[in-house]
Amino acid sequence: MSISNAIIRIANLRLRTFIGFNPDEMQKQQDVVINIEIHYPADKAYAEDDVDKALNYKTITKQVIGHVEDGRFLLLEKLVADVLDIASAHPWTEYASVTIDKPHALRFADSVSLTLQWQKEPE
């Protein structure tokens, strides 16, 4: 049986951080909404039903939470790139995508979002 890579989706992780370069943004934390997608080969995990052979999304999520909540970011680009680094760090990861929304960043918009993607280079 041929099964494609597993796709882990962490949806709508709501956190607060210092994001922005305007004086009020540097003094007050703002909400951000994070969506992460990670692709990895899960054939050994499902074939053997072995936790140690699965990518641990709880560990990744805890790292993201710590980094975002403890950080200060001038640009959304920096925040997204940092989270993408965390999402793509595991050696099994073949592809990762991170989108972060900054709700109410613009007066007449629900949010502003930015997406960055990473893909493992072919060997």
Side-chain angles (χ1 to χ4, degrees), residues 6-74:
I7 301 172
I8 295 173
R9 288 190 179 94
I10 300 167
N12 299 325
L13 179 62
R14 289 171 170 77
L15 302 174
R16 294 183 62 76
T17 193
F18 292 97
I19 177 82
F21 50 86
N22 293 323
D24 58 321
E25 293 175 317
M26 297 176 87
Q27 299 299 318
K28 183 178 159 191
Q29 286 188 319
Q30 297 180 63
D31 295 327
V32 292
V33 181
I34 301 172
N35 286 279
I36 302 169
E37 183 175 304
I38 301 169
H39 297 211
Y40 82 101
D43 51 336
K44 291 179 182 164
Y46 67 73
E48 300 173 30
D49 198 22
D50 187 343
V51 172
D52 293 330
K53 295 188 176 146
L55 200 132
N56 191 330
Y57 53 82
K58 187 174 182 179
T59 300
I60 294 168
T61 303
K62 283 183 175 182
Q63 290 173 342
V64 169
I65 291 168
H67 185 76
V68 172
E69 289 185 338
D70 294 339
R72 288 183 171 268
F73 309 92
L74 296 178

Side-chain angles (χ1 to χ4, degrees), residues 52-123:
D52 293 330
K53 295 188 176 146
L55 200 132
N56 191 330
Y57 53 82
K58 187 174 182 179
T59 300
I60 294 168
T61 303
K62 283 183 175 182
Q63 290 173 342
V64 169
I65 291 168
H67 185 76
V68 172
E69 289 185 338
D70 294 339
R72 288 183 171 268
F73 309 92
L74 296 178
L75 297 174
L76 191 54
E77 288 84 348
K78 172 64 172 158
L79 175 58
V80 176
D82 285 1
V83 173
L84 184 61
D85 284 345
I86 295 167
S88 62
H90 196 285
W92 297 343
T93 302
E94 295 187 352
Y95 169 87
S97 176
V98 172
T99 299
I100 300 182
D101 284 81
K102 188 176 169 185
H104 313 296
L106 294 175
R107 185 172 174 196
F108 297 110
D110 290 337
S111 71
V112 171
S113 67
L114 186 105
T115 301
L116 292 174
Q117 300 171 334
W118 171 90
Q119 187 156 351
K120 183 181 270 185
E121 295 292 327
E123 295 177 1

